[in-house]
Amino acid sequence: MIEEHWLAWIGVVSILVFLVSLAALPWIVAQIPADYFCHSQRTPAQWKSNRPSIRILLLIAKNLLGYILIAGGVLMLFIPGQGLLTILMGGVLLDYPGKYRLERKIVSVPKILSALNWLRSKRNAPPLILNED
Protein backbone atom coordinates (compact mmCIF):
# COMPACT_ATOMS: atom_id res chain seq x y z
CA MET A 1 0.00 0.00 0.00
CA ILE A 2 1.29 3.46 -0.92
CA GLU A 3 2.06 5.66 2.03
CA GLU A 4 0.40 9.04 2.33
CA HIS A 5 3.60 11.09 1.94
CA TRP A 6 4.35 9.38 -1.39
CA LEU A 7 0.93 10.36 -2.70
CA ALA A 8 1.60 13.94 -1.67
CA TRP A 9 4.96 13.93 -3.51
CA ILE A 10 3.39 12.42 -6.62
CA GLY A 11 0.75 15.16 -6.54
CA VAL A 12 3.35 17.92 -6.17
CA VAL A 13 5.50 16.51 -9.00
CA SER A 14 2.39 16.18 -11.18
CA ILE A 15 1.48 19.83 -10.65
CA LEU A 16 5.07 20.98 -11.29
CA VAL A 17 5.38 18.97 -14.52
CA PHE A 18 2.04 20.33 -15.69
CA LEU A 19 3.04 23.95 -14.99
CA VAL A 20 6.49 23.59 -16.59
CA SER A 21 4.96 22.01 -19.70
CA LEU A 22 2.42 24.81 -20.00
CA ALA A 23 5.20 27.38 -19.86
CA ALA A 24 7.85 25.58 -21.95
CA LEU A 25 5.92 24.05 -24.84
CA PRO A 26 4.69 27.27 -26.46
CA TRP A 27 8.21 28.68 -26.24
CA ILE A 28 9.80 25.57 -27.78
CA VAL A 29 7.20 25.40 -30.57
CA ALA A 30 7.67 29.11 -31.29
CA GLN A 31 11.41 28.50 -31.81
CA ILE A 32 10.72 26.35 -34.90
CA PRO A 33 11.21 28.51 -38.01
CA ALA A 34 7.91 29.00 -39.87
CA ASP A 35 9.43 27.53 -43.05
CA TYR A 36 11.10 24.56 -41.27
CA PHE A 37 8.90 22.03 -43.11
CA CYS A 38 9.03 23.68 -46.56
CA HIS A 39 12.22 22.01 -47.75
CA SER A 40 12.56 18.42 -48.98
CA GLN A 41 15.67 17.94 -46.83
CA ARG A 42 17.51 19.89 -44.14
CA THR A 43 20.56 21.94 -44.91
CA PRO A 44 22.98 22.44 -42.02
CA ALA A 45 23.61 25.97 -40.78
CA GLN A 46 26.94 27.55 -41.68
CA TRP A 47 28.09 27.91 -38.06
CA LYS A 48 27.88 24.13 -37.50
CA SER A 49 30.87 23.45 -39.74
CA ASN A 50 32.84 26.47 -38.51
CA ARG A 51 32.60 25.68 -34.79
CA PRO A 52 32.61 21.89 -34.24
CA SER A 53 33.32 22.03 -30.49
CA ILE A 54 30.34 24.31 -29.82
CA ARG A 55 28.21 22.15 -32.11
CA ILE A 56 29.05 19.01 -30.09
CA LEU A 57 28.21 20.71 -26.77
CA LEU A 58 24.91 22.04 -28.12
CA LEU A 59 24.11 18.67 -29.66
CA ILE A 60 24.59 16.93 -26.30
CA ALA A 61 22.48 19.54 -24.48
CA LYS A 62 19.74 19.43 -27.13
CA ASN A 63 19.54 15.63 -27.09
CA LEU A 64 19.51 15.57 -23.29
CA LEU A 65 16.62 18.04 -23.25
CA GLY A 66 14.87 15.93 -25.88
CA TYR A 67 15.12 12.79 -23.73
CA ILE A 68 13.88 14.71 -20.69
CA LEU A 69 10.88 16.00 -22.65
CA ILE A 70 10.05 12.53 -23.95
CA ALA A 71 10.25 11.07 -20.43
CA GLY A 72 8.10 13.91 -19.10
CA GLY A 73 5.63 13.44 -21.95
CA VAL A 74 5.28 9.74 -21.20
CA LEU A 75 4.71 10.65 -17.54
CA MET A 76 2.09 13.21 -18.59
CA LEU A 77 0.13 10.48 -20.34
CA PHE A 78 -0.79 9.34 -16.82
CA ILE A 79 -0.82 12.66 -14.96
CA PRO A 80 -2.16 16.09 -16.00
CA GLY A 81 -0.21 17.70 -18.82
CA GLN A 82 0.23 17.87 -22.57
CA GLY A 83 1.82 14.43 -22.96
CA LEU A 84 1.64 13.87 -26.72
CA LEU A 85 2.83 17.36 -27.62
CA THR A 86 5.66 17.08 -25.09
CA ILE A 87 6.74 13.76 -26.61
CA LEU A 88 6.57 15.33 -30.07
CA MET A 89 8.73 18.27 -29.00
CA GLY A 90 11.25 15.91 -27.40
CA GLY A 91 11.42 14.00 -30.67
CA VAL A 92 11.99 17.22 -32.57
CA LEU A 93 15.02 17.97 -30.40
CA LEU A 94 16.62 14.52 -30.76
CA ASP A 95 18.94 13.63 -33.63
CA TYR A 96 18.37 10.32 -35.43
CA PRO A 97 18.33 9.08 -39.05
CA GLY A 98 15.13 9.91 -40.94
CA LYS A 99 14.08 12.46 -38.31
CA TYR A 100 13.17 15.25 -40.72
CA ARG A 101 11.05 12.96 -42.90
CA LEU A 102 9.20 11.68 -39.82
CA GLU A 103 8.67 15.22 -38.51
CA ARG A 104 7.16 16.32 -41.81
CA LYS A 105 4.84 13.31 -41.84
CA ILE A 106 3.66 13.94 -38.27
CA VAL A 107 3.16 17.68 -38.76
CA SER A 108 1.18 17.08 -41.95
CA VAL A 109 -1.62 15.62 -39.79
CA PRO A 110 -4.14 18.52 -39.67
CA LYS A 111 -4.93 18.23 -35.94
CA ILE A 112 -1.24 18.24 -34.98
CA LEU A 113 -0.48 21.18 -37.26
CA SER A 114 -3.45 23.03 -35.81
CA ALA A 115 -2.28 22.36 -32.23
CA LEU A 116 1.29 23.48 -33.04
CA ASN A 117 0.08 26.65 -34.73
CA TRP A 118 -2.22 27.36 -31.76
CA LEU A 119 0.80 27.11 -29.43
CA ARG A 120 2.80 29.36 -31.79
CA SER A 121 0.01 31.94 -31.75
CA LYS A 122 0.34 32.15 -27.95
CA ARG A 123 3.91 33.43 -28.51
CA ASN A 124 2.98 35.65 -31.49
CA ALA A 125 4.97 33.40 -33.85
CA PRO A 126 3.80 33.00 -37.46
CA PRO A 127 2.08 29.70 -38.32
CA LEU A 128 4.13 26.81 -39.67
CA ILE A 129 4.14 26.55 -43.46
CA LEU A 130 3.95 23.12 -45.06
CA ASN A 131 5.24 22.50 -48.56
CA GLU A 132 3.10 19.76 -50.06
CA ASP A 133 5.37 17.64 -52.29
Side-chain angles (χ1 to χ4, degrees):
M1 186 162 197
I2 298 178
E3 293 186 35
E4 206 171 292
H5 72 279
W6 285 110
L7 289 176
W9 275 109
I10 291 171
V12 168
V13 168
S14 173
I15 291 168
L16 287 175
V17 168
F18 177 71
L19 293 174
V20 168
S21 73
L22 285 178
L25 273 180
W27 179 82
I28 292 171
V29 172
Q31 300 309 305
I32 301 171
D35 65 346
Y36 181 78
F37 298 105
C38 286
H39 314 288
S40 60
Q41 63 186 82
R42 298 295 302 151
T43 55
Q46 181 67 31
W47 70 269
K48 288 183 177 182
S49 58
N50 293 342
R51 303 222 166 114
S53 58
I54 293 175
R55 181 180 186 276
I56 290 171
L57 289 174
L58 289 176
L59 190 64
I60 290 169
K62 182 175 73 106
N63 281 304
L64 183 61
L65 179 59
Y67 285 120
I68 290 169
L69 285 173
I70 288 174
V74 169
L75 184 62
M76 281 185 255
L77 293 175
F78 304 102
I79 62 174
Q82 303 169 349
L84 293 176
L85 284 174
T86 304
I87 292 170
L88 177 65
M89 294 299 23
V92 166
L93 289 175
L94 294 178
D95 287 307
Y96 50 88
K99 170 188 162 185
Y100 183 66
R101 203 170 344 137
L102 178 63
E103 288 172 345
R104 287 182 67 192
K105 188 172 189 159
I106 291 171
V107 171
S108 69
V109 174
K111 286 188 178 189
I112 292 176
L113 180 62
S114 174
L116 291 172
N117 282 332
W118 179 79
L119 287 171
R120 291 174 65 81
S121 72
K122 297 295 177 191
R123 294 297 227 156
N124 297 320
L128 293 171
I129 304 165
L130 294 182
N131 186 9
E132 304 297 329
D133 292 329

